[in-house]
């Protein structure tokens, strides 16, 4: 071994890396989606758990899919802040038997700071959660991964903006962009409206608008957007509420605390469900390539179709019966429920 190669190997080992594990995505076509259907693929779910109760369904789907080895839930990040949302998230994970899943605290003080279902979830908190700030969680999971890590974000993408801007740390000598390029599989983002419109996750605050615009322009790989006009027309939780007549399960109680009696629009759980299956056959989804423009002053977004030069992708349903998607998602809620 030459002196140069020896020094390089030493640096990699000191940084906690090895030459054969450094780039999991070597040879990837960086202009195309990376739809990984491998059983037990690693996934981080980033939630705005408080702005709506669909996040309770989303986190249940993640734990249920993990239990069946569809995914390996490597972390849960939060894009909102509050007095006990960390405790609520930990409580839910304890309730669903996923005590090994670390939590990422939002790196931006995003509102709202309260939720009608946090308290009932927090009752199950055991105080033993492994908690990091969200960027540290991302960097740790990505750096330590020995297989590609998918990300599903269902809320504000402020954590991802800061991940992109992050520098080397104790977990990796790489900056955020290079760490994403080498370790991140597919990024699935629940946001925007096709072909034009407003979406809560993009327009509600300036921080949200700025972050959405930043990842649109700077994420080094194609993003797959689950747009508002698809997931927002689906429902999740109604099937669970119909069978949980005594309101025993934590998801049922969360839905009721929010004032929901027959399910809720499925923006966030749809993203987790479809991302977990990498938009495979069971999800019955098609893709279109395009370019996205976000007005950071108003939050208005516009998609421009471009089959050859589009940087990112959106989905559209191939199944005309919305009930198909609703039943598929509810089946996972019920499977994991404590009735």
């Amino acid at each position: 071994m030459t002196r140069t190669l020896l020094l390089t190997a030493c640096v990699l080992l000191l940084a906690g890396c090895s030459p054969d594990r450094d780039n999991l995505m070597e040879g990837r076509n960086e202009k195309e989606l990376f739809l990984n259907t491998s059983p037990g693929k690693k996934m981080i779910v980033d939630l705005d758990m408080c702005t709506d109760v669909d996040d309770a369904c989303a986190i249940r789907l993640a734990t249920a899919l993990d239990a069946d080895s569809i995914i390996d839930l490597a972390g849960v990040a939060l894009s909102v802040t509050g007095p006990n949302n960390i405790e609520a998230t930990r409580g839910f994970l304890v309730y669903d038997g996923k005590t090994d899943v670390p939590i990422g605290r939002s790196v931006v003080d995003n509102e709202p700071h309260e939720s009608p279902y946090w308290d009932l979830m927090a009752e199950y908190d055991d105080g033993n959660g492994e908690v990091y700030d969200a960027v540290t969680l991302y960097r740790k999971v990505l750096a330590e991964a020995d297989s590609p890590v998918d990300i599903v974000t269902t809320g504000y993408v402020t954590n991802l903006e800061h991940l992109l801007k992050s520098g080397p740390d104790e977990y990796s000598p790489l900056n955020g962009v290079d760490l994403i390029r080498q370790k991140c599989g597919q990024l699935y983002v629940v946001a925007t409206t096709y072909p034009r419109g407003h979406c809560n996750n993009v327009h509600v605050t300036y921080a949200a608008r700025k972050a959405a615009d930043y990842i649109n322009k700077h994420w080094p790989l194609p993003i797959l957007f689950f747009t508002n006009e698809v997931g927002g027309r689906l429902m999740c939780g109604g099937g669970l509420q119909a069978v949980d007549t005594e309101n025993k399960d934590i998801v049922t109680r969360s839905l009721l605390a929010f004032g929901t009696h027959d399910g809720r629009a499925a923006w966030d759980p749809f993203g987790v469900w479809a991302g977990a299956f990498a938009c495979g056959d069971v999800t019955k989804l098609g893709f279109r390539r395009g370019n996205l423009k976000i007005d950071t002053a108003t939050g208005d977004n516009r998609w421009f179709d471009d089959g050859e030069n589009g940087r990112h992708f959106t989905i559209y349903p191939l199944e005309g019966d919305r009930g198909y998607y609703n039943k598929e998602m509810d089946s996972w809620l019920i499977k994991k429920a404590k009735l």
Side-chain angles (χ1 to χ4, degrees):
M1 179 180 288
T2 67
R3 176 180 173 82
T4 299
L5 288 175
L6 179 61
L7 288 173
T8 300
C10 290
V11 170
L12 287 168
L13 289 171
L14 287 171
C17 305
S18 61
D20 60 337
R21 287 184 54 191
D22 191 44
N23 187 356
L24 301 178
M25 306 304 297
E26 188 173 1
R28 171 180 180 173
N29 184 341
E30 294 192 356
K31 293 185 178 180
E32 300 297 333
L33 296 172
F34 182 80
L35 300 176
N36 182 10
T37 58
S38 300
K41 67 176 181 177
K42 295 185 182 299
M43 176 174 284
I44 299 172
V45 176
D46 196 320
L47 305 169
D48 58 342
M49 197 172 75
C50 82
T51 58
D52 208 314
V53 74
D54 61 329
D55 289 274
C57 296
I59 193 171
R60 163 57 58 78
L61 281 170
T63 61
L65 291 160
D66 176 280
D68 266 30
S69 298
I70 305 299
I71 64 170
D72 174 6
L73 184 59
V76 173
L78 300 175
S79 63
V80 293
T81 51
N84 66 341
N85 67 337
I86 297 293
E87 292 79 4
T89 304
R90 174 62 180 178
F92 193 104
L93 292 171
V94 170
Y95 183 91
D96 269 10
K98 292 305 302 176
T99 56
D100 60 330
V101 176
I103 298 169
R105 182 185 296 106
S106 177
V107 296
V108 175
D109 185 19
N110 288 321
E111 296 182 345
H113 295 149
E114 59 183 3
S115 170
Y117 56 83
W118 280 348
D119 288 346
L120 69 88
M121 290 182 177
E123 291 178 5
Y124 298 94
D125 175 33
D126 61 359
N128 295 322
E130 188 179 0
V131 181
Y132 306 86
D133 75 75
V135 171
T136 300
L137 173 69
Y138 275 114
R139 290 188 59 87
K140 182 177 188 296
V141 171
L142 290 171
E144 294 176 354
D146 57 5
S147 60
V149 181
D150 282 358
I151 298 171
V152 177
T153 176
T154 71
Y156 315 128
V157 294
T158 42
N159 291 328
L160 298 184
E161 176 192 10
H162 286 263
L163 172 62
L164 280 167
K165 295 177 178 178
S166 66
D169 61 6
E170 62 184 296
Y171 299 108
S172 173
L174 302 176
N175 62 35
V177 172
D178 289 338
L179 184 59
I180 290 164
R181 181 174 277 118
Q182 292 193 12
K183 293 297 189 80
C184 184
Q186 185 58 50
L187 172 59
Y188 301 92
V189 174
V190 177
T192 75
T193 298
Y194 180 90
R196 182 179 183 178
H198 285 73
C199 168
N200 177 77
N201 293 349
V202 173
H203 87 270
V204 67
T205 67
Y206 177 69
R209 298 192 291 271
K210 179 173 69 72
D213 184 56
Y214 192 86
I215 70 158
N216 169 48
K217 293 176 178 176
H218 298 284
W219 195 263
L221 304 164
I223 301 170
L224 181 55
F225 286 85
F226 295 113
T227 48
N228 182 55
E229 82 291 342
V230 179
R233 294 177 181 176
L234 305 176
M235 299 293 291
C236 191
L240 172 62
Q241 289 184 287
V243 298
D244 188 10
T245 56
E246 297 183 15
N247 304 325
K248 292 183 177 181
D249 189 65
I250 194 171
V251 176
T252 308
R253 286 182 281 134
S254 298
L255 289 163
L256 289 173
F258 198 80
T260 298
H261 298 275
D262 57 358
R264 183 62 177 157
W267 300 283
D268 297 356
F270 177 72
V272 173
W273 172 73
F277 286 102
C279 299
D281 291 343
V282 69
T283 66
K284 298 187 179 183
L285 295 172
F287 313 105
R288 59 171 72 88
R289 185 193 290 267
N291 290 304
L292 174 64
K293 183 176 181 180
I294 296 173
D295 186 335
T296 56
T298 65
D300 180 72
N301 78 257
R302 182 180 295 186
W303 279 98
F304 301 90
D305 290 341
D306 192 333
E308 294 183 358
N309 300 310
R311 294 191 66 244
H312 302 306
F313 293 78
T314 63
I315 51 99
Y316 59 88
L318 299 175
E319 173 60 57
D321 178 13
R322 296 177 192 169
Y324 169 80
Y325 301 101
N326 302 342
K327 291 176 183 177
E328 283 290 320
M329 289 184 286
D330 271 330
S331 70
W332 288 98
L333 298 185
I334 295 168
K335 189 171 186 177
K336 186 72 173 176
K338 298 178 181 180
L339 306 179

